[in-house]
Amino acid sequence: MYGKMHSACLYGIDGVLIEVETDLSNGLPQTSIIGLPDSAIREAVERVRAAIKNCGYQYPLQRITINLAPADLRKEGSSFDLAIAIGLLMTSGQLILPSQERTLVVGELALDGSIRSVPGILSMVDLAKRQGFTSVLLPNDNVEEASLIRGIQVFGIRHLQDIAPESLAPSKSSIEIQKNASPVVLKNYAHLSAPITHGTQRIKDRTLRQTPLLGDDYSDVLGQHHVKRALMIAAAGMHNILLVGPPGTGKTMLIKRLPTILPPLSEDEALEVTKVLSAAGKLKEAPQGLIADRPFRSPHHTISTSGLIGGGGIPKPGEVSLAHRGILFLDELPEFQRQVLEVLRQPLEDRTVTISRARAAFTFPAQFMLACSMNPCPCGYLSAHSEEQRCICSPARVAAYRAKISGPLLDRIDLQVEVPPPGEWRKSVASPSSAEMQTKVIYAHQIQAARYAQSSVRWNSQLSGTLLRRTIHLPQEAEQLLEQTLQALNLSMRAHDRIIKMAQTIADLDHDGEIVTAHVAEAIQYRQLDLNLF
């Protein structure tokens, strides 16, 4: 007797279709799972056995072979439990499931037969739709997440017994009757949870709804107008930014308000971000379903390389991937281990992370804005203008402190801005609010979207190579100013390109889009570590 079900597992953040084949033959009763399963899948035998018995069905007393195909792909997790259980019941003639060839089955079983949620369901349902499946059978707790994929029916169940109509569901006390009973036939899904509708308007409204601001607003920040201007430029072009200044000047406060001026995620971006969180098992942190706001991740400086980039036996997304389409904030940058910071260099350029293992290579998205803060020296008061707060660090200590950040990494940070002690101690009426700054940022994003409509680029910070040379043209005076700066400061060509991209963003914020000399001069001023201004 042979049966086949379709299930899925995660491979990185993408779903992979798995065929669950079941074979029953004569011989000593034993169950074998083959096809490179991990420990959680091998333990599924006991979970499935207990669940089937406790639901009143009979576990086949035969030689059972369960194959997970393709056999050369390493598989992990507990998402195959439900498919294995239904496959055994179908193969032994206790259940008939119509149209199983077009139904994807995913879920973890408890010993009493209840169905538990599994991570990564969004990627699996998206895969099922692309593979032509018409329906998905999954845990009821995952229905809300799965319903974000349009064009496929989603059925949620809470218990293994929910698959059979209530009138035919086997009783826990009728195992002997079940032996001679006719097979349960599942004629339709009417008794299950109603299929989720997938209206375009519903998804769009949900995607574009942004969480209201809860008190965090740039209008509450005293002074620091030049820093707010730099943060607005960073948000408008999605440029990396570093704030340097003494303790208590508001560096952390300013960066934590950065999400309030970013536009909400588009529908496609929201689906990408939600898939990453789903694969990482962190979607429970966002009960609204599809993520509407850009991620803001702020790991502690004791984080490991695997925690930042991703890793593990079967790699999981790290902080750079969890910050995809959002902000990665590294507070007190020199306190991070140097080898941890160095692994950021490749994701900042390629906007993806590839982690290779013996059996496979996993690629995670990592398109984020890097926002950092640091003190100018170990004691923090190198640039303070006060007799009470004088720096006590020797030049050697200052050099060693700054050497924790390598030149190549610093070269990838577009804006390097000094944050002095605030000069205003009363709330300024002229201080721009987050809403006003966001309006300008959204306008700049719209200009860039129209400019790069025929390419995969969305923001100025993504420009490179031929597209950069073809898109941005500097006037002769601005070109001469930039060349003189490069020669005087011995800047790299990467810094040259980043200054040009910043100048274009500044021009977009000024609503004209045409770069003039003033835009290039302002962009140069934001390379303050290169200028050795502090």
Side-chain angles (χ1 to χ4, degrees):
M1 292 181 287
Y2 170 83
K4 182 172 71 173
M5 299 295 298
H6 288 94
S7 188
C9 68
L10 281 178
Y11 192 82
I13 66 167
D14 299 318
V16 176
L17 186 65
I18 302 296
E19 294 182 357
V20 181
E21 300 175 301
T22 307
D23 179 78
L24 273 62
S25 59
N26 295 327
L28 293 176
Q30 68 175 25
T31 303
S32 301
I33 299 182
I34 58 177
L36 291 182
D38 72 341
S39 298
I41 298 176
R42 287 192 291 267
E43 293 169 354
V45 173
E46 302 305 325
R47 291 194 296 272
V48 171
R49 188 196 309 272
I52 287 178
K53 289 184 176 180
N54 290 331
C55 289
Y57 296 107
Q58 189 174 37
Y59 193 84
L61 297 177
Q62 294 174 276
R63 182 181 179 88
I64 302 173
T65 302
I66 299 170
N67 180 44
L68 305 178
D72 61 343
L73 179 68
R74 188 80 178 177
K75 303 161 191 75
E76 69 159 356
S78 55
S79 60
F80 304 111
D81 290 6
L82 186 58
I84 292 174
I86 295 178
L88 285 173
L89 294 176
M90 289 176 52
T91 308
S92 60
Q94 301 179 63
L95 182 67
I96 299 176
L97 185 67
S99 303
Q100 66 269 18
E101 291 295 330
R102 312 309 303 164
T103 301
L104 190 76
V105 181
V106 179
E108 176 185 337
L109 278 173
L111 298 185
D112 64 348
S114 58
I115 313 297
R116 292 173 174 160
S117 62
V118 295
I121 204 70
L122 193 64
S123 299
M124 299 178 193
V125 177
D126 184 47
L127 168 74
K129 176 192 172 183
R130 288 186 281 107
Q131 293 289 336
F133 285 80
T134 58
S135 59
V136 181
L137 193 63
L138 43 73
N140 195 71
D141 291 340
N142 287 128
V143 167
E144 186 72 14
E145 178 183 347
S147 66
L148 300 173
I149 303 298
R150 296 170 293 179
I152 187 170
Q153 286 187 314
V154 177
F155 300 97
I157 59 175
R158 293 184 173 87
H159 201 277
L160 187 58
Q161 287 183 336
D162 291 345
I163 297 177
E166 187 177 355
S167 59
L168 298 178
S171 171
K172 293 182 180 180
S173 60
S174 59
I175 296 181
E176 293 300 323
I177 299 177
Q178 180 66 30
K179 290 181 180 179
N180 301 319
S182 58
V184 172
V185 180
L186 184 60
K187 295 182 179 179
N188 56 62
Y189 293 114
H191 64 287
L192 299 180
S193 301
I196 304 298
T197 57
H198 307 279
T200 303
Q201 190 62 40
R202 174 192 176 198
I203 299 296
K204 184 175 294 186
D205 292 345
R206 186 177 226 169
T207 301
L208 299 181
R209 185 177 67 249
Q210 193 173 22
T211 304
L213 303 180
L214 301 177
D216 291 337
D217 196 286
Y218 276 117
S219 62
D220 299 327
V221 180
L222 300 177
Q224 308 292 17
H225 297 290
H226 74 290
V227 183
K228 295 177 187 177
R229 167 74 173 175
L231 289 166
M232 187 167 62
I233 294 171
M238 297 301 284
H239 299 284
N240 303 323
I241 185 170
L242 169 65
L243 301 185
V244 186
T249 56
K251 301 185 297 296
T252 302
M253 178 179 62
L254 285 160
I255 291 181
K256 284 188 174 180
R257 282 165 167 74
L258 191 54
T260 65
I261 65 175
L262 289 174
L265 294 166
S266 66
E267 183 177 351
D268 292 338
E269 291 175 333
L271 188 58
E272 288 179 23
V273 172
T274 308
K275 285 175 68 174
V276 173
L277 293 178
S278 176
K282 297 182 180 295
L283 201 56
K284 293 181 181 179
E285 301 175 5
Q288 294 296 327
L290 202 63
I291 305 299
D293 300 315
R294 296 190 181 275
F296 184 87
R297 305 294 300 185
S298 180
H300 193 261
H301 64 261
T302 57
I303 191 172
S304 65
T305 301
S306 297
L308 187 63
I309 296 299
I314 297 182
K316 296 292 185 182
E319 289 292 334
V320 296
S321 297
L322 296 176
H324 180 58
R325 299 290 184 183
I327 301 169
L328 177 65
F329 176 36
L330 302 183
D331 199 7
E332 301 298 339
L333 186 64
E335 300 301 328
F336 287 80
Q337 298 181 28
R338 184 184 175 99
Q339 61 267 28
V340 173
L341 294 179
E342 289 306 298
V343 299
L344 285 172
R345 290 158 57 175
Q346 181 264 335
L348 287 173
E349 289 292 330
D350 299 339
R351 299 180 178 85
T352 59
V353 173
T354 300
I355 302 174
S356 299
R357 292 292 181 263
R359 294 185 178 274
F362 299 82
T363 299
F364 301 106
Q367 187 169 310
F368 59 92
M369 179 202 302
L370 178 64
C372 312
S373 68
M374 62 176 286
N375 296 326
C377 65
C379 76
Y381 297 109
L382 179 65
S383 58
H385 306 288
S386 171
E387 289 295 328
E388 292 79 11
Q389 297 178 339
R390 288 183 298 176
C391 177
I392 59 174
C393 303
S394 65
R397 286 191 65 195
V398 174
Y401 181 75
R402 295 191 178 183
K404 295 181 180 180
I405 308 172
S406 68
L409 177 61
L410 193 61
D411 207 26
R412 289 168 168 82
I413 300 178
D414 304 37
L415 292 93
Q416 305 154 9
V417 185
E418 181 184 10
V419 185
E424 300 179 20
W425 298 101
R426 295 181 181 179
K427 186 173 181 180
S428 175
V429 178
S431 180
S433 66
S434 292
E436 294 170 346
M437 296 170 67
Q438 186 186 49
T439 300
K440 296 179 181 179
V441 169
I442 291 177
Y443 185 84
H445 278 223
Q446 292 172 347
I447 292 177
Q448 294 169 66
R451 181 187 298 129
Y452 309 125
Q454 303 301 321
S455 67
S456 60
V457 171
R458 294 202 54 188
W459 304 301
N460 292 328
S461 60
Q462 296 176 298
L463 287 173
S464 62
T466 305
L467 184 59
L468 173 64
R469 306 290 182 264
R470 189 173 65 243
T471 305
I472 300 180
H473 302 284
L474 299 180
Q476 184 176 1
E477 185 180 353
E479 186 70 42
Q480 291 175 352
L481 173 62
L482 184 54
E483 290 180 1
Q484 292 172 2
T485 303
L486 292 176
Q487 294 175 2
L489 301 177
N490 195 25
L491 297 181
S492 67
M493 286 305 298
R494 181 185 289 114
H496 170 272
D497 290 350
R498 291 183 181 274
I499 290 173
I500 293 177
K501 290 185 283 188
M502 274 195 293
Q504 182 63 69
T505 301
I506 296 170
D508 293 339
L509 281 173
D510 289 344
H511 292 193
D512 51 22
E514 294 294 330
I515 298 178
V516 297
T517 306
H519 298 150
V520 176
E522 183 178 358
I524 292 173
Q525 290 300 313
Y526 292 124
R527 304 288 299 186
Q528 296 196 15
L529 286 178
D530 295 330
L531 297 173
N532 294 319
L533 294 183
F534 52 86

